[in-house]
Amino acid sequence: MRKILSLMRKLIEQEGLIKNGDKIAIGVSGGKDSLTLLTAMREYQKYINPNFDLTAIAIDLSNSEMDYSEIESYCKQIDVAFHLEKSNVFEILFDVRKEKNPCSLCANMRRGLLNTTAKKLGCNKVALGHHADDLIETFLLSLFFEGRLYALQPKTYLSRTELEVIRPMLFVEEKEIKKASKNMPIIKNVCPKDHFSERENAKKILEKFTENYPDCKNKILKALTNPQRNKLW
């Protein structure tokens, strides 16, 4: 966790992700990434900057098929407010619309619910658990499947909801998150499309690259954050 906190602090200070008086909602899915972000943000708040508030928000897409009670207990343990917002997104996607490729629509609906809930709770920022591997995989997805150059941003302002989305862990590799989250109450994702998406294909492409070029992730990350990254044409 020390390494994660150090890398997270570097990005927060470099990009000005957190200001005094912020009320930050952390999107908590119950997976390793969001729980690590929740834990690291609480550590940052306790030991580095106490001048902002945290609230954990879980969006239950399964309409109570997923049990968030352990997540709620964990939030109590680390002294972070917890809010569970129930929805029937899975029912709409799989039973009503019968979507064959629901991931993009599901992500949009989940983000919409998270942002609406954060606004309702008085938050001005939403923190998401994207990490360095997500940054690289998103770039590869855009390159290979959309024919464009796009990467996740450390902060994005949403004018419609007047919220700022921040991603404090973009310098953190997934392997560090796996190590840090071993004793966290991770819950199983009940989505039938879990691990069967284009992102999983991008992950496999990246793994293949890494077999031949062990330092390729670090090199791609440096390229994406290099000051000259926009000088392509």
Side-chain angles (χ1 to χ4, degrees), residues 57-143:
I57 299 176
I59 305 297
D60 182 3
L61 306 176
S62 66
N63 202 15
S64 300
E65 283 186 43
M66 292 177 68
D67 182 5
Y68 287 88
S69 58
E70 289 190 27
I71 306 298
E72 184 174 9
S73 296
Y74 185 68
C75 287
K76 286 181 181 177
Q77 178 186 325
I78 63 173
D79 195 24
V80 174
F82 174 79
H83 179 86
L84 178 63
E85 188 75 12
K86 294 187 177 181
S87 77
N88 59 346
V89 169
F90 281 176
E91 181 183 348
I92 293 170
L93 291 175
F94 297 112
D95 298 335
V96 178
R97 296 174 60 104
K98 302 186 186 302
E99 293 280 343
K100 293 182 179 179
N101 299 296
C103 298
S104 179
L105 179 58
C106 180
N108 288 335
M109 294 175 75
R110 184 176 67 247
R111 281 195 298 267
L113 286 166
L114 175 60
N115 294 339
T116 300
T117 305
K119 194 71 177 176
K120 181 174 67 177
L121 294 176
C123 299
N124 67 309
K125 291 182 179 178
V126 173
L128 302 178
H130 296 118
H131 46 70
D133 292 65
D134 289 325
L135 174 62
I136 297 168
E137 289 160 14
T138 299
F139 175 74
L140 293 178
L141 280 169
S142 297
L143 181 63

Coordinates of all heavy atoms in Angstrom, one line a residue, residues 57-143:
I57 N -19.7 5.0 -2.7 CA -21.0 4.8 -3.3 C -20.9 3.5 -4.1 O -20.1 3.3 -5.0 CB -21.5 5.9 -4.3 CG1 -21.6 7.2 -3.5 CG2 -22.8 5.6 -5.0 CD1 -21.9 8.4 -4.4
A58 N -21.8 2.5 -3.8 CA -21.9 1.3 -4.6 C -23.2 1.3 -5.4 O -24.3 1.6 -4.9 CB -21.9 0.1 -3.7
I59 N -23.1 1.0 -6.7 CA -24.3 1.0 -7.6 C -24.6 -0.5 -7.8 O -23.8 -1.2 -8.4 CB -24.1 1.7 -8.9 CG1 -23.6 3.1 -8.7 CG2 -25.3 1.6 -9.8 CD1 -24.6 4.0 -8.0
D60 N -25.7 -1.0 -7.2 CA -26.1 -2.4 -7.3 C -26.8 -2.6 -8.6 O -28.0 -2.3 -8.7 CB -27.0 -2.8 -6.1 CG -27.4 -4.3 -6.2 OD1 -26.9 -5.0 -7.1 OD2 -28.1 -4.7 -5.3
L61 N -26.1 -3.0 -9.7 CA -26.7 -3.2 -11.0 C -27.7 -4.4 -11.0 O -28.5 -4.6 -11.9 CB -25.6 -3.4 -12.0 CG -24.6 -2.3 -12.1 CD1 -23.5 -2.7 -13.1 CD2 -25.2 -1.0 -12.4
S62 N -27.5 -5.3 -10.0 CA -28.2 -6.6 -10.0 C -29.5 -6.6 -9.3 O -30.1 -7.7 -9.2 CB -27.3 -7.7 -9.4 OG -27.1 -7.4 -8.1
N63 N -29.9 -5.5 -8.7 CA -31.2 -5.4 -8.0 C -31.2 -6.5 -6.8 O -32.0 -7.3 -6.7 CB -32.4 -5.6 -8.9 CG -33.6 -5.0 -8.2 OD1 -33.6 -4.3 -7.3 ND2 -34.8 -5.4 -8.7
S64 N -30.1 -6.4 -6.0 CA -29.9 -7.2 -4.8 C -29.4 -8.6 -5.0 O -29.4 -9.4 -4.0 CB -31.3 -7.2 -4.0 OG -31.7 -5.9 -3.6
E65 N -29.0 -9.0 -6.2 CA -28.4 -10.3 -6.4 C -27.0 -10.3 -5.8 O -26.4 -11.3 -5.4 CB -28.4 -10.7 -7.8 CG -29.7 -11.2 -8.4 CD -29.6 -11.7 -9.8 OE1 -28.6 -12.4 -10.1 OE2 -30.4 -11.3 -10.6
M66 N -26.3 -9.1 -5.7 CA -25.0 -9.0 -5.2 C -25.1 -8.5 -3.7 O -25.9 -7.6 -3.4 CB -24.1 -8.1 -6.0 CG -23.8 -8.6 -7.4 SD -22.8 -7.5 -8.4 CE -21.2 -7.5 -7.5
D67 N -24.3 -9.1 -2.8 CA -24.4 -8.8 -1.4 C -23.3 -7.8 -1.1 O -22.1 -8.1 -1.1 CB -24.3 -10.1 -0.6 CG -24.4 -9.8 0.9 OD1 -24.6 -8.7 1.3 OD2 -24.2 -10.8 1.7
Y68 N -23.6 -6.6 -0.7 CA -22.7 -5.5 -0.4 C -22.5 -5.4 1.1 O -21.8 -4.4 1.6 CB -23.1 -4.2 -1.0 CG -23.0 -4.1 -2.5 CD1 -24.0 -4.6 -3.3 CD2 -21.8 -3.7 -3.1 CE1 -23.8 -4.5 -4.7 CE2 -21.6 -3.6 -4.4 CZ -22.7 -4.0 -5.3 OH -22.5 -4.0 -6.6
S69 N -23.0 -6.3 1.9 CA -22.9 -6.1 3.4 C -21.4 -6.1 3.9 O -21.1 -5.3 4.8 CB -23.7 -7.3 4.1 OG -23.2 -8.5 3.7
E70 N -20.6 -6.9 3.3 CA -19.1 -6.9 3.7 C -18.5 -5.6 3.3 O -17.6 -5.1 4.0 CB -18.4 -8.1 3.1 CG -18.8 -9.4 3.7 CD -17.8 -10.5 3.2 OE1 -16.7 -10.2 2.9 OE2 -18.3 -11.7 3.2
I71 N -18.9 -5.0 2.2 CA -18.3 -3.7 1.8 C -18.8 -2.6 2.8 O -18.0 -1.8 3.2 CB -18.8 -3.3 0.4 CG1 -18.5 -4.4 -0.6 CG2 -18.2 -2.0 -0.1 CD1 -17.0 -4.7 -0.8
E72 N -20.0 -2.7 3.2 CA -20.5 -1.7 4.1 C -19.8 -1.8 5.5 O -19.4 -0.8 6.1 CB -22.0 -1.9 4.4 CG -22.7 -0.9 5.3 CD -24.2 -1.0 5.4 OE1 -24.7 -2.0 4.8 OE2 -24.8 -0.2 5.9
S73 N -19.5 -3.1 5.9 CA -18.8 -3.3 7.2 C -17.4 -2.8 7.0 O -16.8 -2.2 8.0 CB -18.8 -4.8 7.5 OG -20.1 -5.3 7.7
Y74 N -16.8 -3.0 5.9 CA -15.4 -2.5 5.7 C -15.3 -1.0 5.7 O -14.4 -0.4 6.3 CB -14.9 -3.0 4.3 CG -13.4 -2.7 4.0 CD1 -12.4 -3.3 4.8 CD2 -13.1 -1.8 3.0 CE1 -11.1 -3.0 4.5 CE2 -11.8 -1.5 2.8 CZ -10.8 -2.1 3.5 OH -9.4 -1.8 3.3
C75 N -16.3 -0.3 5.1 CA -16.4 1.1 5.2 C -16.5 1.6 6.6 O -15.9 2.6 7.0 CB -17.5 1.6 4.3 SG -17.3 1.5 2.6
K76 N -17.3 0.9 7.4 CA -17.4 1.3 8.8 C -16.1 1.1 9.6 O -15.7 1.9 10.4 CB -18.5 0.4 9.5 CG -19.9 0.8 9.1 CD -20.9 -0.1 9.9 CE -22.4 0.3 9.5 NZ -23.4 -0.6 10.1
Q77 N -15.4 0.0 9.2 CA -14.1 -0.3 9.8 C -13.1 0.8 9.6 O -12.3 1.2 10.5 CB -13.6 -1.6 9.3 CG -12.2 -2.0 9.8 CD -11.8 -3.3 9.1 OE1 -12.5 -4.2 8.8 NE2 -10.5 -3.4 8.9
I78 N -13.1 1.4 8.4 CA -12.1 2.4 8.0 C -12.7 3.8 8.2 O -12.0 4.8 7.8 CB -11.5 2.2 6.6 CG1 -12.6 2.3 5.5 CG2 -10.8 0.9 6.5 CD1 -12.0 2.3 4.1
D79 N -13.9 3.9 8.7 CA -14.6 5.2 9.0 C -14.8 6.0 7.7 O -14.5 7.2 7.7 CB -13.7 6.0 10.0 CG -14.5 7.1 10.6 OD1 -15.8 7.0 10.7 OD2 -13.9 8.1 11.1
V80 N -15.5 5.4 6.7 CA -15.9 6.1 5.5 C -17.4 5.9 5.4 O -17.9 4.7 5.5 CB -15.2 5.6 4.3 CG1 -15.7 6.3 3.0 CG2 -13.7 5.9 4.4
A81 N -18.2 6.9 5.1 CA -19.6 6.8 4.9 C -19.9 5.9 3.7 O -19.1 6.0 2.7 CB -20.2 8.2 4.7
F82 N -20.9 5.1 3.7 CA -21.2 4.2 2.6 C -22.7 4.4 2.2 O -23.6 4.5 3.0 CB -21.1 2.7 3.1 CG -21.5 1.7 2.1 CD1 -20.7 1.4 1.0 CD2 -22.7 1.1 2.2 CE1 -21.1 0.4 0.1 CE2 -23.1 0.1 1.3 CZ -22.3 -0.2 0.2
H83 N -22.9 4.4 0.9 CA -24.3 4.5 0.3 C -24.4 3.5 -0.8 O -23.6 3.4 -1.7 CB -24.5 5.9 -0.2 CG -25.8 6.1 -0.8 ND1 -27.0 6.5 -0.1 CD2 -26.3 5.9 -2.1 CE1 -28.0 6.5 -0.9 NE2 -27.6 6.2 -2.1
L84 N -25.5 2.7 -0.7 CA -25.8 1.7 -1.7 C -27.0 2.2 -2.5 O -28.1 2.5 -2.0 CB -26.2 0.4 -1.0 CG -26.6 -0.8 -2.0 CD1 -25.4 -1.1 -2.9 CD2 -27.0 -2.0 -1.2
E85 N -26.9 2.3 -3.8 CA -27.9 2.7 -4.7 C -28.4 1.5 -5.5 O -27.6 0.9 -6.3 CB -27.4 3.8 -5.6 CG -28.5 4.4 -6.5 CD -29.4 5.4 -5.7 OE1 -29.1 5.7 -4.5 OE2 -30.5 5.8 -6.3
K86 N -29.6 1.0 -5.4 CA -30.1 -0.2 -6.1 C -30.6 0.2 -7.5 O -31.1 1.3 -7.7 CB -31.1 -0.9 -5.3 CG -30.6 -1.5 -4.0 CD -31.6 -2.3 -3.3 CE -31.0 -2.9 -2.0 NZ -32.0 -3.8 -1.3
S87 N -30.5 -0.7 -8.4 CA -31.0 -0.5 -9.8 C -31.3 -1.8 -10.4 O -30.9 -2.9 -9.9 CB -29.9 0.3 -10.6 OG -28.9 -0.6 -11.0
N88 N -32.0 -1.7 -11.5 CA -32.3 -2.9 -12.3 C -31.6 -2.9 -13.7 O -32.2 -3.4 -14.7 CB -33.8 -3.1 -12.5 CG -34.5 -1.9 -13.2 OD1 -33.8 -0.9 -13.4 ND2 -35.7 -2.0 -13.6
V89 N -30.4 -2.4 -13.7 CA -29.7 -2.3 -15.0 C -29.5 -3.7 -15.7 O -29.7 -3.8 -16.9 CB -28.3 -1.7 -14.8 CG1 -27.4 -1.8 -16.0 CG2 -28.5 -0.2 -14.4
F90 N -29.1 -4.7 -14.9 CA -28.9 -6.0 -15.5 C -30.2 -6.5 -16.1 O -30.2 -7.1 -17.2 CB -28.5 -7.0 -14.4 CG -27.0 -6.9 -14.1 CD1 -26.4 -7.7 -13.1 CD2 -26.2 -6.0 -14.8 CE1 -25.1 -7.6 -12.8 CE2 -24.8 -5.9 -14.5 CZ -24.3 -6.7 -13.5
E91 N -31.4 -6.3 -15.4 CA -32.7 -6.8 -15.9 C -33.0 -6.1 -17.3 O -33.4 -6.7 -18.2 CB -33.7 -6.4 -14.9 CG -35.1 -6.9 -15.3 CD -36.2 -6.5 -14.3 OE1 -35.9 -6.1 -13.2 OE2 -37.4 -6.6 -14.7
I92 N -32.7 -4.8 -17.3 CA -33.0 -4.0 -18.6 C -32.1 -4.5 -19.7 O -32.6 -4.7 -20.8 CB -32.7 -2.5 -18.3 CG1 -33.7 -1.9 -17.3 CG2 -32.7 -1.7 -19.6 CD1 -33.4 -0.5 -16.9
L93 N -30.8 -4.7 -19.4 CA -29.9 -5.1 -20.5 C -30.1 -6.6 -21.0 O -30.1 -6.8 -22.2 CB -28.4 -5.0 -19.9 CG -27.9 -3.6 -19.7 CD1 -26.5 -3.7 -19.1 CD2 -27.8 -2.8 -21.0
F94 N -30.3 -7.5 -20.0 CA -30.3 -8.9 -20.4 C -31.7 -9.5 -20.6 O -31.9 -10.3 -21.5 CB -29.6 -9.7 -19.3 CG -28.1 -9.4 -19.2 CD1 -27.6 -8.8 -18.1 CD2 -27.3 -9.7 -20.3 CE1 -26.3 -8.5 -18.0 CE2 -25.9 -9.3 -20.2 CZ -25.4 -8.7 -19.1
D95 N -32.7 -9.0 -19.8 CA -34.1 -9.6 -19.9 C -35.0 -8.8 -20.9 O -35.7 -9.3 -21.6 CB -34.7 -9.6 -18.5 CG -34.0 -10.6 -17.6 OD1 -33.3 -11.5 -18.1 OD2 -34.1 -10.4 -16.4
V96 N -34.9 -7.4 -20.8 CA -35.8 -6.6 -21.6 C -35.2 -6.4 -23.0 O -35.8 -6.7 -24.0 CB -36.0 -5.2 -20.9 CG1 -36.9 -4.3 -21.7 CG2 -36.7 -5.5 -19.5
R97 N -33.9 -5.8 -23.0 CA -33.3 -5.5 -24.3 C -32.6 -6.7 -24.9 O -32.3 -6.6 -26.2 CB -32.3 -4.3 -24.1 CG -33.0 -3.0 -23.7 CD -31.9 -2.0 -23.4 NE -31.1 -1.7 -24.6 CZ -31.3 -0.6 -25.3 NH1 -32.2 0.3 -25.0 NH2 -30.5 -0.4 -26.4
K98 N -32.2 -7.7 -24.1 CA -31.5 -8.8 -24.6 C -30.3 -8.5 -25.4 O -30.0 -9.0 -26.5 CB -32.4 -9.7 -25.4 CG -33.7 -10.2 -24.7 CD -34.5 -11.2 -25.5 CE -35.8 -11.6 -24.8 NZ -35.6 -12.1 -23.4
E99 N -29.5 -7.6 -24.8 CA -28.3 -7.1 -25.5 C -27.2 -8.2 -25.6 O -26.9 -8.9 -24.6 CB -27.7 -5.9 -24.7 CG -28.5 -4.7 -24.6 CD -28.4 -3.9 -25.9 OE1 -27.4 -4.1 -26.6 OE2 -29.2 -3.0 -26.1
K100 N -26.6 -8.4 -26.8 CA -25.6 -9.3 -27.0 C -24.2 -8.7 -26.6 O -23.3 -9.5 -26.2 CB -25.5 -9.8 -28.5 CG -26.8 -10.6 -28.8 CD -26.7 -11.1 -30.3 CE -27.9 -11.9 -30.7 NZ -27.8 -12.3 -32.1
N101 N -24.0 -7.4 -26.8 CA -22.8 -6.7 -26.4 C -23.2 -5.6 -25.5 O -23.2 -4.4 -25.9 CB -22.1 -6.3 -27.6 CG -21.7 -7.4 -28.5 OD1 -20.9 -8.3 -28.2 ND2 -22.2 -7.4 -29.8
P102 N -23.4 -5.9 -24.2 CA -24.0 -4.8 -23.3 C -23.0 -3.9 -22.6 O -23.4 -3.0 -21.9 CB -24.8 -5.7 -22.3 CG -23.9 -6.9 -22.2 CD -23.4 -7.2 -23.5
C103 N -21.7 -4.3 -22.7 CA -20.7 -3.6 -21.8 C -20.7 -2.1 -21.9 O -20.6 -1.4 -20.9 CB -19.3 -4.2 -22.1 SG -19.2 -6.0 -21.8
S104 N -20.7 -1.6 -23.1 CA -20.6 -0.1 -23.3 C -21.9 0.6 -22.7 O -21.7 1.6 -22.0 CB -20.5 0.2 -24.8 OG -20.4 1.6 -25.0
L105 N -23.0 0.0 -23.0 CA -24.3 0.6 -22.5 C -24.3 0.5 -21.0 O -24.8 1.4 -20.3 CB -25.5 -0.1 -23.2 CG -26.9 0.4 -22.7 CD1 -27.0 1.9 -22.9 CD2 -28.0 -0.4 -23.4
C106 N -23.9 -0.7 -20.5 CA -23.9 -0.9 -19.0 C -23.0 0.1 -18.3 O -23.4 0.7 -17.3 CB -23.4 -2.3 -18.7 SG -23.4 -2.7 -17.0
A107 N -21.8 0.4 -18.9 CA -20.9 1.3 -18.3 C -21.5 2.7 -18.3 O -21.3 3.4 -17.3 CB -19.6 1.3 -19.1
N108 N -22.2 3.1 -19.4 CA -22.8 4.4 -19.4 C -23.9 4.5 -18.4 O -24.0 5.6 -17.7 CB -23.4 4.7 -20.8 CG -22.3 4.9 -21.9 OD1 -21.2 5.3 -21.5 ND2 -22.6 4.7 -23.1
M109 N -24.7 3.5 -18.3 CA -25.8 3.5 -17.3 C -25.2 3.6 -15.9 O -25.7 4.3 -15.0 CB -26.7 2.3 -17.5 CG -27.5 2.3 -18.8 SD -28.4 0.8 -19.1 CE -29.8 1.1 -17.9
R110 N -24.2 2.8 -15.6 CA -23.6 2.8 -14.3 C -23.0 4.1 -13.9 O -23.1 4.6 -12.8 CB -22.5 1.7 -14.3 CG -21.8 1.5 -12.9 CD -20.8 0.3 -12.9 NE -19.7 0.6 -13.7 CZ -19.4 0.0 -14.8 NH1 -20.2 -1.0 -15.3 NH2 -18.3 0.3 -15.5
R111 N -22.3 4.7 -14.9 CA -21.7 6.0 -14.6 C -22.8 7.1 -14.4 O -22.6 7.9 -13.5 CB -20.8 6.5 -15.8 CG -19.4 5.8 -15.9 CD -18.5 6.6 -16.9 NE -19.0 6.5 -18.2 CZ -18.7 5.6 -19.1 NH1 -17.9 4.6 -18.8 NH2 -19.2 5.6 -20.3
G112 N -23.8 7.0 -15.1 CA -24.9 7.9 -15.0 C -25.5 7.8 -13.6 O -25.8 8.8 -12.9
L113 N -25.8 6.6 -13.1 CA -26.3 6.4 -11.8 C -25.3 6.8 -10.7 O -25.7 7.5 -9.7 CB -26.6 4.9 -11.6 CG -27.9 4.4 -12.3 CD1 -27.9 2.9 -12.3 CD2 -29.1 4.9 -11.6
L114 N -24.0 6.6 -10.9 CA -23.0 7.0 -9.9 C -23.0 8.5 -9.8 O -23.0 9.1 -8.7 CB -21.7 6.4 -10.3 CG -20.5 6.9 -9.5 CD1 -20.6 6.4 -8.0 CD2 -19.2 6.3 -10.0
N115 N -22.9 9.2 -10.9 CA -22.9 10.6 -10.9 C -24.1 11.3 -10.3 O -24.0 12.2 -9.6 CB -22.6 11.2 -12.4 CG -21.3 10.7 -12.9 OD1 -20.4 10.4 -12.2 ND2 -21.2 10.8 -14.2
T116 N -25.3 10.7 -10.7 CA -26.5 11.3 -10.1 C -26.6 11.1 -8.6 O -27.0 12.0 -7.9 CB -27.7 10.6 -10.8 OG1 -27.7 10.8 -12.2 CG2 -29.0 11.1 -10.2
T117 N -26.1 9.9 -8.2 CA -26.1 9.7 -6.7 C -25.1 10.6 -6.0 O -25.4 11.1 -4.9 CB -25.8 8.2 -6.5 OG1 -26.7 7.4 -7.2 CG2 -25.9 7.9 -5.0
A118 N -24.0 10.7 -6.6 CA -22.9 11.6 -6.0 C -23.4 13.0 -5.9 O -23.3 13.7 -4.8 CB -21.7 11.6 -6.9
K119 N -24.1 13.5 -6.9 CA -24.7 14.8 -6.9 C -25.7 15.0 -5.8 O -25.8 16.0 -5.1 CB -25.3 15.2 -8.3 CG -25.6 16.6 -8.5 CD -24.3 17.5 -8.6 CE -24.7 18.9 -8.9 NZ -23.5 19.8 -9.0
K120 N -26.6 13.9 -5.7 CA -27.6 13.9 -4.7 C -27.1 14.0 -3.3 O -27.7 14.6 -2.4 CB -28.5 12.7 -4.9 CG -29.6 12.5 -3.9 CD -30.5 11.3 -4.3 CE -29.7 10.0 -4.0 NZ -30.6 8.8 -4.3
L121 N -25.9 13.4 -3.1 CA -25.3 13.3 -1.8 C -24.4 14.6 -1.5 O -23.7 14.6 -0.5 CB -24.4 12.1 -1.6 CG -25.2 10.8 -1.6 CD1 -24.3 9.6 -1.6 CD2 -26.2 10.7 -0.5
G122 N -24.4 15.5 -2.4 CA -23.7 16.8 -2.2 C -22.2 16.7 -2.6 O -21.4 17.6 -2.2
C123 N -21.8 15.7 -3.3 CA -20.4 15.6 -3.7 C -20.1 16.5 -4.9 O -20.9 16.7 -5.8 CB -20.0 14.1 -4.1 SG -20.3 13.0 -2.7
N124 N -18.8 16.9 -5.0 CA -18.4 17.7 -6.2 C -17.4 17.0 -7.1 O -17.1 17.4 -8.2 CB -17.8 19.1 -5.7 CG -16.5 18.9 -5.0 OD1 -16.4 18.1 -4.0 ND2 -15.5 19.6 -5.4
K125 N -16.9 15.8 -6.6 CA -16.0 15.0 -7.4 C -16.4 13.5 -7.2 O -16.9 13.1 -6.2 CB -14.6 15.2 -6.9 CG -14.0 16.6 -7.3 CD -12.6 16.8 -6.9 CE -12.1 18.2 -7.3 NZ -10.8 18.5 -6.9
V126 N -16.0 12.8 -8.3 CA -16.2 11.3 -8.2 C -14.9 10.7 -8.5 O -14.2 11.0 -9.6 CB -17.2 10.8 -9.3 CG1 -17.3 9.3 -9.3 CG2 -18.6 11.4 -8.9
A127 N -14.4 9.8 -7.7 CA -13.1 9.1 -7.9 C -13.3 7.7 -8.4 O -14.1 7.0 -7.8 CB -12.3 9.1 -6.6
L128 N -12.6 7.3 -9.4 CA -12.7 6.0 -10.0 C -11.4 5.3 -9.9 O -10.3 5.9 -9.9 CB -13.1 6.1 -11.5 CG -14.5 6.9 -11.8 CD1 -14.7 6.9 -13.3 CD2 -15.6 6.2 -11.1
G129 N -11.5 3.9 -9.9 CA -10.3 3.1 -9.6 C -9.5 2.7 -10.8 O -8.8 1.6 -10.7
H130 N -9.5 3.4 -11.9 CA -8.7 3.1 -13.1 C -7.2 3.1 -12.7 O -6.8 4.1 -12.0 CB -9.0 4.0 -14.2 CG -10.4 3.8 -14.7 ND1 -11.3 4.9 -14.7 CD2 -11.1 2.8 -15.3 CE1 -12.5 4.5 -15.2 NE2 -12.3 3.2 -15.6
H131 N -6.5 2.2 -13.2 CA -5.0 2.1 -12.9 C -4.2 2.2 -14.2 O -4.8 2.4 -15.3 CB -4.7 0.9 -12.1 CG -5.3 -0.4 -12.7 ND1 -5.0 -1.0 -13.9 CD2 -6.3 -1.2 -12.2 CE1 -5.7 -2.0 -14.1 NE2 -6.5 -2.2 -13.1
A132 N -2.9 2.0 -14.1 CA -2.0 2.2 -15.3 C -2.4 1.2 -16.4 O -2.3 1.5 -17.6 CB -0.6 2.0 -14.9
D133 N -2.7 -0.1 -16.0 CA -3.1 -1.1 -17.0 C -4.3 -0.7 -17.8 O -4.4 -0.9 -19.0 CB -3.2 -2.5 -16.4 CG -1.9 -3.0 -15.8 OD1 -1.3 -2.4 -14.9 OD2 -1.4 -4.0 -16.4
D134 N -5.3 -0.1 -17.0 CA -6.5 0.4 -17.7 C -6.2 1.5 -18.7 O -6.8 1.5 -19.8 CB -7.5 0.9 -16.6 CG -8.1 -0.2 -15.8 OD1 -8.4 -1.3 -16.3 OD2 -8.3 0.1 -14.6
L135 N -5.3 2.4 -18.3 CA -4.9 3.5 -19.2 C -4.4 2.9 -20.5 O -4.7 3.4 -21.6 CB -3.8 4.3 -18.4 CG -3.2 5.4 -19.2 CD1 -4.2 6.5 -19.6 CD2 -2.1 6.1 -18.4
I136 N -3.5 1.9 -20.4 CA -2.8 1.4 -21.6 C -3.9 0.6 -22.4 O -3.9 0.7 -23.6 CB -1.6 0.5 -21.2 CG1 -0.6 1.4 -20.5 CG2 -1.1 -0.2 -22.4 CD1 0.5 0.6 -19.8
E137 N -4.7 -0.2 -21.7 CA -5.7 -1.0 -22.4 C -6.7 -0.2 -23.2 O -7.1 -0.5 -24.3 CB -6.4 -2.0 -21.4 CG -5.5 -3.1 -20.9 CD -6.0 -3.7 -19.6 OE1 -7.2 -3.4 -19.3 OE2 -5.2 -4.4 -19.0
T138 N -7.1 0.9 -22.5 CA -8.1 1.8 -23.2 C -7.4 2.5 -24.4 O -8.1 2.6 -25.5 CB -8.5 3.0 -22.2 OG1 -9.1 2.4 -21.1 CG2 -9.5 3.9 -22.9
F139 N -6.2 2.8 -24.4 CA -5.4 3.3 -25.5 C -5.4 2.3 -26.6 O -5.7 2.6 -27.8 CB -4.0 3.7 -25.1 CG -3.2 4.1 -26.3 CD1 -3.3 5.4 -26.9 CD2 -2.2 3.3 -26.8 CE1 -2.5 5.8 -27.9 CE2 -1.4 3.7 -27.8 CZ -1.5 4.9 -28.4
L140 N -5.1 1.0 -26.3 CA -5.1 -0.1 -27.3 C -6.5 -0.3 -27.9 O -6.6 -0.5 -29.1 CB -4.5 -1.3 -26.7 CG -3.1 -1.3 -26.3 CD1 -2.7 -2.6 -25.6 CD2 -2.1 -1.0 -27.4
L141 N -7.5 -0.3 -27.1 CA -8.9 -0.5 -27.6 C -9.2 0.6 -28.6 O -9.8 0.3 -29.7 CB -9.9 -0.4 -26.4 CG -10.0 -1.7 -25.6 CD1 -10.8 -1.4 -24.3 CD2 -10.7 -2.8 -26.4
S142 N -8.9 1.9 -28.3 CA -9.2 3.0 -29.2 C -8.4 2.9 -30.5 O -8.9 3.1 -31.6 CB -8.9 4.3 -28.5 OG -9.7 4.5 -27.4
L143 N -7.2 2.4 -30.3 CA -6.3 2.3 -31.5 C -6.8 1.2 -32.4 O -6.9 1.4 -33.7 CB -4.9 2.1 -31.1 CG -3.8 1.9 -32.1 CD1 -3.7 3.2 -32.9 CD2 -2.5 1.5 -31.5

